Amino acid sequence: MRKKKFMNLMALALVIILLMIVSAEAKGIKLESLEVLLESLIIKPLIRGLVIAAPIGYWLAYQDGTSFVKNFNRVILYNPPTEGILPFLNILLKILFPVYSLLIVSIGFYLLLYSSSPEGRANAKSLLSKLIITLVLISLSSRLIWLIFSISGYLTDSIFSLTSLELIGEILNGGIWGMLILSTWLMIPDIELGAVSLMLVYVFAWLPYMVISLRNIVLTTLMILFPLGILLYFIPELKSIGKTILEQFLIWTFIQAFMALALVSVAKAFSVTTLVSNPEITCLNIFPVPGINNMLAWFFTSIDLGTTNLMTLGFGAVAHFSIILVPIVMVLLFKKFLP
Amino acid sequence: MDKKSRIFTLLVVILLLSTLVNAGGALLGIIDVAIAEGLKLVAKGWIVSTGWQVIDFYEKIFDSFPLLLTTNPPMSEITSGMFFFIKIIAPFYILAIVILALYILMASSSMRGRAKAKSMLTNLIIGLVLISLSPGVLKVFFIISENLANALISMGANAGISALKGASGGLYEKFWKLTLIHRTGGVELFAIHTTLLFGLTIMLLLRHVMVILFGMLLPLAFFLYLFYPTKHIGKGLFMQTFLWTFMPIAWILALVIIGTVIGSIPSYIPEFYILIAALFFFIGSPMMILGVGDWLAFLVFLFEVLQAAPLSIGAVVIDETMK
């Protein structure tokens, strides 16, 4: 009975407040408090949760947001097809064959008719052998590239076998989802607060792919230049150019092995490192209002957006950054190794 | 109550309510402002408390500082990787020794060539010993680094850690005060603050990863060091292993220095500025103390990456041709 009375009283109060609002509106008074209540505390936070965070979560869970996380081993193992260079190789050979014939014939003439000193003859002979070696190597260059790619691919595959791929996947997944959880938690009260972490979500989703795509583009370019590199390497005056091309080709090829090694190291470090306190952060109890909170929590958990901790987030970020860092370190460490 | 008086009461109530509603509309304007300001304050409080949760989340890394700085990853995790690389190197090693032996036996014509080959053989054998000892070498590195770290950390590194915490607390204080003045006033400060704390976490965890990575590559480093053309690569790899293992020493030294400096700052200098400087010093300390890379190294990094990019290869080719 008492409860019924209370409910009646509440209903009356609500009607009076509504009537007051209507009366105020009729008098042309704009209610700022209502605006603030809806804008800062209910509507806009809800919109941010449902229109910004949730679609990004959906993008990560069901679309290409976590494509790298799901396919990292295949993506890292991928090498551009060697058949791609065949048209370029044919053009190069078409240009080189007349030049080669001319060079061989002139060396032959030199040996037969003009050579007077033994030194000159020895030089001509060594040039002839170099020409023949380069000719063979250039004709075999697509096979050579295939061989180098196979060695690198095999090495990468064996490095991946040093730890479980599932663990690496989990770490990468933890990094990208952790960042989204953090940015959701921050962006619900104020969108600008979550800007840095939201940007990092995109960095984690795109940058590894960008680095790996850059590798493929550079490698395709170097594959086309590879036969030319061999030719230039055997000409003493142009050796430095040939050396640069061959070195860069080898470095960019073996970057995949080092990316795998970096990920394996992250997985190993993740499984042995401990923190004194490993705090958790969640985006499930963001709203102070229980009803809205439950609704959002149901929505977020349905797309995996729940809780993260410092270890998972930190190592996930390190895993993504190491993919980006490896080409830089490799290019810096492994330069000028050809004689 | 009879029917008449009931109707009368109802009429009075309706009259009163209509007056209240009418007056309420006008009154509302005044009450509204007060409520709006109150609600704005609630919204700001929500931002501040959310910010605090995240800062607190990141600041927990300070508790793990002594543990992360004084320990290295266990050898068992690294040795499996080391043996993997030793397995790869072994065939090349055998090939190198066989070719050298054949050269000495058959192909060497000059005394000089034979002597060179012999010294190479000695190098190879030394390398063989070094490679098989590489887990031990790394273990020695770890023991020295851990002992040094433990000795240094007891010299007052905790004061340094509290200084860093103080810097973080100071930044948060500025953030909440600015946020109370205006909703988005402290956003930039918050971005810098979280980036710094996140960067610290990443650097500390990355060290453990790098120690494992370069530890696994240590046999390869010794192998590459033995051959003249690849000597600088081997040296580079070895240096990287050394630097990443001994990086905590630089950090702890920085913490001790920070702790000492904070204690001797005159009172008229605002402490917050010193604390912020200490935070930056801690982040930059491996570069300054160990010389991991000078401050210009980043530009060199960028240049090297650009040089390796396809377009720059064209530039290098042209450059080389013009020489």
Side-chain angles (χ1 to χ4, degrees):
Chain A
M1 199 63 192
R2 189 175 279 180
K3 198 181 170 190
K4 204 181 169 189
K5 247 185 192 173
F6 177 74
M7 291 303 282
N8 283 343
L9 213 66
M10 287 301 287
L12 189 69
L14 202 71
V15 169
I16 291 172
I17 289 170
L18 273 175
L19 283 171
M20 280 164 93
I21 291 167
V22 170
S23 155
E25 288 290 326
K27 281 185 177 137
I29 301 167
K30 218 176 163 195
L31 286 178
E32 208 188 330
S33 58
L34 198 72
E35 223 175 87
V36 174
L37 181 75
L38 293 177
E39 200 181 302
S40 307
L41 293 168
I42 298 173
I43 303 289
K44 277 201 174 171
L46 252 179
I47 288 174
R48 283 180 212 126
L50 294 174
V51 180
I52 302 175
I56 297 172
Y58 183 81
W59 173 60
L60 290 190
Y62 304 114
Q63 289 184 336
D64 58 355
T66 45
S67 166
F68 179 71
V69 175
K70 287 168 195 154
N71 306 307
F72 69 93
N73 55 331
R74 281 193 287 167
V75 174
I76 289 176
L77 273 168
Y78 175 78
N79 279 320
T82 44
E83 296 82 47
I85 67 151
L86 288 177
F88 295 97
L89 191 68
N90 285 338
I91 293 171
L92 192 71
L93 286 178
K94 263 183 201 163
I95 298 167
L96 284 180
F97 272 131
V99 177
Y100 263 92
S101 325
L102 206 67
L103 277 173
I104 291 169
V105 167
S106 52
I107 287 171
F109 268 110
Y110 177 81
L111 281 175
L112 275 175
L113 308 173
Y114 294 100
S115 69
S116 51
S117 67
E119 205 177 301
R121 224 181 299 178
N123 271 345
K125 266 186 187 168
S126 82
L127 196 63
L128 193 66
S129 60
K130 269 183 189 172
L131 276 178
I132 290 164
I133 291 169
T134 38
L135 197 61
V136 172
L137 284 178
I138 289 171
S139 342
L140 287 176
S141 57
S142 72
R143 288 271 135 196
L144 265 177
I145 290 170
W146 175 83
L147 184 73
I148 294 166
F149 280 178
S150 310
I151 293 171
S152 163
Y154 176 72
L155 189 66
T156 312
D157 212 20
S158 338
I159 288 172
F160 270 134
S161 67
L162 284 172
T163 186
S164 78
L165 290 177
E166 285 80 25
L167 182 61
I168 300 176
E170 267 172 37
I171 294 168
L172 288 168
N173 203 34
I176 198 162
W177 277 107
M179 236 350 142
L180 185 58
I181 289 164
L182 200 73
S183 69
T184 307
W185 169 253
L186 281 170
M187 83 165 83
I188 298 264
D190 189 27
I191 186 94
E192 284 103 332
L193 275 192
V196 174
S197 32
L198 193 63
M199 193 189 71
L200 281 173
V201 173
Y202 288 110
V203 166
F204 290 171
W206 290 337
L207 220 58
Y209 260 132
M210 282 166 73
V211 173
I212 289 167
S213 307
L214 180 74
R215 174 182 173 269
N216 284 333
I217 293 168
V218 172
L219 213 52
T220 312
T221 316
L222 288 166
M223 240 161 62
I224 294 164
L225 292 176
F226 186 74
L228 200 67
I230 294 176
L231 174 69
L232 299 180
Y233 188 71
F234 283 98
I235 301 171
E237 284 76 21
L238 301 169
K239 194 178 175 179
S240 55
I241 308 171
K243 213 170 93 172
T244 312
I245 293 171
L246 293 182
E247 267 178 9
Q248 291 294 331
F249 175 76
L250 288 173
I251 289 175
W252 284 92
T253 306
F254 281 94
I255 272 178
Q256 61 176 176
F258 276 80
M259 280 179 175
L261 193 65
L263 286 181
V264 165
S265 310
V266 172
K268 279 177 181 285
F270 180 74
S271 54
V272 293
T273 309
T274 46
L275 295 179
V276 172
S277 55
N278 190 12
E280 283 193 342
I281 205 156
T282 173
C283 64
L284 296 183
N285 52 357
I286 303 172
F287 265 90
V289 190
I292 300 173
N293 206 10
N294 291 350
M295 192 180 81
L296 273 181
W298 169 80
F299 194 81
F300 285 151
T301 40
S302 69
I303 49 166
D304 268 355
L305 199 61
T307 308
T308 186
N309 57 47
L310 193 57
M311 269 279 281
T312 317
L313 180 71
F315 273 107
V318 168
H320 282 95
F321 283 130
S322 63
I323 293 281
I324 302 155
L325 215 69
V326 159
I328 301 173
V329 175
M330 280 285 288
V331 173
L332 270 182
L333 272 178
F334 287 76
K335 57 182 179 184
K336 297 192 178 94
F337 60 87
L338 282 179
Chain B
M1 208 186 274
D2 62 338
K3 207 178 174 184
K4 252 184 190 174
S5 57
R6 203 180 274 180
I7 291 167
F8 180 72
T9 321
L10 195 70
L11 273 174
V12 169
V13 167
I14 288 170
L15 203 68
L16 269 173
L17 279 181
S18 68
T19 322
L20 186 71
V21 165
N22 206 13
L27 252 176
L28 212 63
I30 305 160
I31 303 164
D32 175 51
V33 178
I35 298 172
E37 285 307 310
L39 286 175
K40 274 183 195 169
L41 215 62
V42 171
K44 285 172 183 173
W46 191 15
I47 293 172
V48 168
S49 82
T50 310
W52 168 244
Q53 302 268 355
V54 172
I55 297 299
D56 189 47
F57 172 75
Y58 279 136
E59 271 186 359
K60 285 283 190 292
I61 195 72
F62 288 125
D63 300 342
S64 307
F65 259 45
L67 181 75
L68 284 176
L69 292 180
T70 52
T71 52
N72 282 311
M75 281 303 292
S76 56
E77 286 296 321
I78 304 174
T79 39
S80 60
M82 274 183 161
F83 287 132
F84 172 78
F85 282 103
I86 290 175
K87 259 187 225 164
I88 292 176
I89 295 166
F92 289 102
Y93 227 100
I94 294 164
L95 202 71
I97 290 174
V98 167
I99 289 171
L100 258 179
L102 282 179
Y103 177 81
I104 293 171
L105 276 175
M106 300 173 178
S108 71
S109 51
S110 68
M111 290 287 277
R112 209 174 165 190
R114 225 179 301 176
K116 214 176 167 186
K118 266 187 187 167
S119 81
M120 190 83 180
L121 195 66
T122 334
N123 263 355
L124 276 176
I125 289 163
I126 293 170
L128 200 64
V129 175
L130 273 177
I131 287 169
S132 38
L133 282 180
S134 51
V137 172
L138 195 66
K139 183 77 193 160
V140 169
F141 275 9
F142 281 5
I143 291 170
I144 297 172
S145 126
E146 279 167 20
N147 283 342
L148 258 175
N150 278 320
L152 276 172
I153 211 159
S154 57
M155 281 172 68
N158 281 334
I161 295 172
S162 353
L164 296 187
K165 271 188 198 169
S168 179
L171 276 171
Y172 177 71
E173 194 191 325
K174 298 279 177 296
F175 160 71
W176 76 254
K177 281 177 181 167
L178 282 168
T179 308
L180 282 192
I181 295 167
H182 190 271
R183 228 174 116 249
T184 54
V187 165
E188 284 82 5
L189 205 64
F190 183 78
I192 294 171
H193 190 185
T194 43
T195 311
L196 280 176
L197 289 179
F198 185 58
L200 265 182
T201 315
I202 294 285
M203 274 166 70
L204 283 168
L205 297 181
L206 186 69
R207 187 193 83 82
H208 279 240
V209 173
M210 284 303 191
V211 165
I212 293 181
L213 196 154
F214 285 109
M216 289 199 288
L217 286 176
L218 196 61
L220 192 72
F222 286 137
F223 178 72
L224 293 175
Y225 188 74
L226 294 172
F227 301 99
Y228 183 72
T230 55
K231 195 173 181 176
H232 65 282
I233 301 174
K235 200 176 155 189
L237 282 174
F238 183 76
M239 279 304 285
Q240 288 294 326
T241 320
F242 184 83
L243 289 176
W244 286 101
T245 317
F246 284 93
M247 203 179 264
I249 309 297
W251 272 329
I252 295 171
L253 208 60
L255 285 176
V256 174
I257 293 167
I258 289 166
T260 321
V261 169
I262 297 292
S264 60
I265 290 290
S267 58
Y268 52 83
I269 300 177
E271 203 189 3
F272 173 67
Y273 302 133
I274 309 293
L275 296 178
I276 292 294
L279 190 61
F280 280 102
F281 175 67
F282 180 79
I283 292 170
S285 58
M287 298 176 202
M288 288 196 262
I289 296 174
L290 283 177
V292 170
D294 50 69
W295 294 100
L296 287 171
F298 186 65
L299 290 177
V300 179
F301 258 43
L302 282 180
F303 177 73
E304 292 285 345
V305 174
L306 284 177
Q307 196 190 8
L311 283 175
S312 331
I313 287 167
V316 173
V317 169
I318 291 165
D319 191 45
E320 294 283 357
T321 322
M322 299 297 270
K323 268 178 193 168

